[in-house]
Amino acid sequence: MNISENIKIIFLYSSTFLVISLFAAYLPFWLHKAFGLEAKLIGIIFGITGFLKIFTNSLMVGKIKKYEYLKTTLLLIGFILSLLGLALIFFNNSFNKLTLIAVIFTILILFAPIITLIDAVCESLNKNAAKTYGKIRLSGSLSFLFSVYIIGLVIQKVSFAVFPYLLFSAFFLFFLSVLYLPKHDKYDINLSYSHDYAKVIKNKQFLIILIVCSLIQSSHAVYYSFSTILWHNLGIETDNIGKLWAWAVVVEILVFFYINKANISKNIFALLLFCTVCSTSRWILTFYFTDFFTLLIIQSLHSVSFALTHYIIVVYIYNVVKPKLKLVSLNMYFILSSGLFMTIMTILSGLIISTYKGQSVYLLMAFICFLSLLFLYCNKRFFIKRS
């Protein structure tokens, strides 16, 4: 893959994670502050969206047979998101709660398959995807880092009224980044994607990795949907909340930068076990400690609970799964982790936060990670046989 194509993929990841930074760090808080939506309702909105990802992702991804269809789908999504962003700018003051929820719901549904699709774009354009994924994906983390910190400062200096303008700008940049992508993939458009899920799950080792990684990723439901609200309730200032998000991404960046030095295929069981232990520890510690500086240190574990876990399964797909089945394998990962499992965790989290008004919800996340540890250990024979 030449330098020009590298830049195009980096631009795509950067614009995508600018949008994600707005969704994860500030959208729930904006809905809560600007429109008075309670955590329980926000949890239901995000939860239902996550549940529908199972169907919408499969429907959209299932229609994609070749790379050019992949690019066209991303263009269409980017264009519609930009229009909805404009609607939020010009009409959000006149929206009633039901209309606002419908618009946000539509935005979240449209954006749901994006990570699956851009990871497929990276694999389609990059002849050394497994070796270079960490450093390519690093651009998304850097974008998230600077975005979440700078946006936090802007919101604190101006107000949350600026949020719809920021959202539209991010959507439009995403649309431009897709427009900028190459016309043809590394297979010279001869590859047709298969959508046979049955063939994918015949690989028992992949199935175990899929479940373990998806459980760990779903434990971030509180983090992505409610952490800004919970930290604000602890009296942490908005700019310091931005620093908490930013530090988590700094350590994530370090993982993506150096991870290609690790031999994932030979150490996959040990690395997964490490991920389950660190993830369980992260949420237990987040429950017990509430001061800013201790939370900042605990955020370092994001490098494992998210970054390493995500890298393991994506690179496994790039290395082991046949080219025609890579897209459907990536889709399985995202509909399970950010679809089914994340939905259940988000709805439960919203209910727990609304009922108990405290940090106890993090114990549920720790329990989910502990379950992933037990499941992995009970199935270690599938990894020992291949060593």
Side-chain angles (χ1 to χ4, degrees):
M1 187 172 71
N2 60 42
I3 294 174
S4 174
E5 288 174 341
N6 259 323
I7 292 171
K8 291 173 183 179
I9 296 177
I10 286 169
F11 185 24
L12 177 64
Y13 272 102
S14 299
S15 62
T16 299
F17 279 84
L18 170 58
V19 176
I20 291 172
S21 72
L22 288 163
F23 282 177
Y26 299 109
L27 177 59
F29 197 42
W30 178 64
L31 294 172
H32 178 65
K33 281 291 181 183
F35 297 94
L37 299 190
E38 295 182 358
K40 181 165 62 176
L41 182 55
I42 294 171
I44 291 170
I45 293 169
F46 279 74
I48 293 174
T49 303
F51 178 71
L52 289 176
K53 283 180 187 180
I54 301 168
F55 305 102
T56 56
N57 277 31
S58 298
L59 181 63
M60 282 191 264
V61 172
K63 298 293 182 182
I64 297 171
K65 303 298 182 185
K66 294 179 180 289
Y67 168 78
E68 65 264 33
Y69 300 167
L70 185 59
K71 181 179 177 180
T72 302
T73 302
L74 286 168
L75 275 173
L76 184 59
I77 291 172
F79 179 71
I80 296 172
L81 286 174
S82 298
L83 292 180
L84 290 171
L86 283 174
L88 284 176
I89 290 173
F90 290 108
F91 303 111
N92 87 86
N93 289 330
S94 59
F95 282 166
N96 57 37
K97 282 188 179 180
L98 187 60
T99 307
L100 173 72
I101 290 170
V103 172
I104 297 300
F105 187 78
T106 305
I107 287 172
L108 293 173
I109 286 292
L110 283 171
F111 197 77
I114 293 299
I115 297 297
T116 302
L117 299 180
I118 67 169
D119 277 346
V121 166
C122 179
E123 197 284 326
S124 296
L125 296 175
N126 192 340
K127 292 180 181 179
N128 298 304
K131 292 183 179 179
T132 60
Y133 176 74
K135 291 184 179 178
I136 292 288
R137 175 60 177 74
L138 177 64
S139 60
S141 298
L142 283 169
S143 173
F144 190 99
L145 168 65
F146 288 111
S147 300
V148 81
Y149 183 67
I150 292 169
I151 289 167
L153 292 176
V154 169
I155 289 172
Q156 183 157 336
K157 296 293 182 183
V158 185
S159 74
F160 257 107
V162 76
F163 183 81
Y165 295 89
L166 296 171
L167 199 59
F168 165 72
S169 301
F171 288 154
F172 189 65
L173 279 174
F174 171 75
F175 174 74
L176 291 179
S177 71
V178 178
L179 202 61
Y180 191 54
L181 287 174
K183 292 182 179 180
H184 305 304
D185 65 5
K186 69 185 180 186
Y187 302 106
D188 297 322
I189 67 173
N190 290 322
L191 176 69
S192 293
Y193 295 116
S194 169
H195 298 282
D196 191 339
Y197 289 91
K199 286 183 180 178
V200 176
I201 61 176
K202 284 181 181 178
N203 181 342
K204 299 301 180 185
Q205 190 181 77
F206 172 68
L207 190 59
I208 294 161
I209 296 169
L210 174 68
I211 293 170
V212 170
C213 291
S214 295
L215 283 171
I216 294 174
Q217 293 295 354
S218 71
S219 76
H220 294 75
V222 173
Y223 182 59
Y224 294 139
S225 297
F226 301 109
S227 61
T228 300
I229 296 172
L230 291 171
W231 288 334
H232 184 266
N233 291 343
L234 293 173
I236 299 174
E237 296 292 336
T238 306
D239 61 332
N240 280 336
I241 290 173
K243 290 173 187 174
L244 288 171
W245 281 95
W247 176 245
V249 183
V250 168
V251 291
E252 172 185 313
I253 286 166
L254 293 174
V255 169
F256 283 132
F257 187 79
Y258 290 108
I259 192 62
N260 64 326
K261 298 180 185 299
N263 192 324
I264 296 292
S265 59
K266 288 187 177 180
N267 302 298
I268 193 163
F269 178 79
L271 286 169
L272 282 172
L273 192 62
F274 179 66
C275 289
T276 61
V277 172
C278 287
S279 301
T280 305
S281 302
R282 178 188 183 182
W283 303 124
I284 291 173
L285 292 169
T286 305
F287 165 73
Y288 276 110
F289 297 97
T290 57
D291 63 286
F292 169 71
F293 288 105
T294 307
L295 286 171
L296 195 65
I297 295 169
I298 295 168
Q299 283 290 87
S300 302
L301 290 172
H302 188 73
S303 61
V304 180
S305 68
F306 169 73
L308 182 58
T309 303
H310 175 76
Y311 182 86
I312 286 170
I313 188 166
V314 172
V315 170
Y316 183 91
I317 290 170
Y318 285 176
N319 275 329
V320 177
V321 178
K322 293 178 181 178
K324 290 185 177 183
L325 294 171
K326 289 185 195 295
L327 179 59
V328 72
S329 299
L330 287 167
N331 192 45
M332 283 183 69
Y333 166 50
F334 287 108
I335 62 175
L336 196 61
S337 61
S338 62
L340 180 61
F341 290 171
M342 186 74 79
T343 296
I344 297 168
M345 290 300 102
T346 304
I347 292 174
L348 286 175
S349 298
L351 292 172
I352 291 171
I353 291 169
S354 295
T355 304
Y356 296 103
K357 309 291 184 185
Q359 304 288 102
S360 56
V361 67
Y362 288 113
L363 292 178
L364 173 62
M365 303 303 108
F367 177 69
I368 293 302
C369 293
F370 184 67
L371 284 181
S372 71
L373 189 159
L374 292 178
F375 178 77
L376 176 65
Y377 188 78
C378 290
N379 289 283
K380 64 180 181 179
R381 66 188 184 279
F382 291 101
F383 298 88
I384 293 171
K385 286 181 180 179
R386 296 174 68 93
S387 62

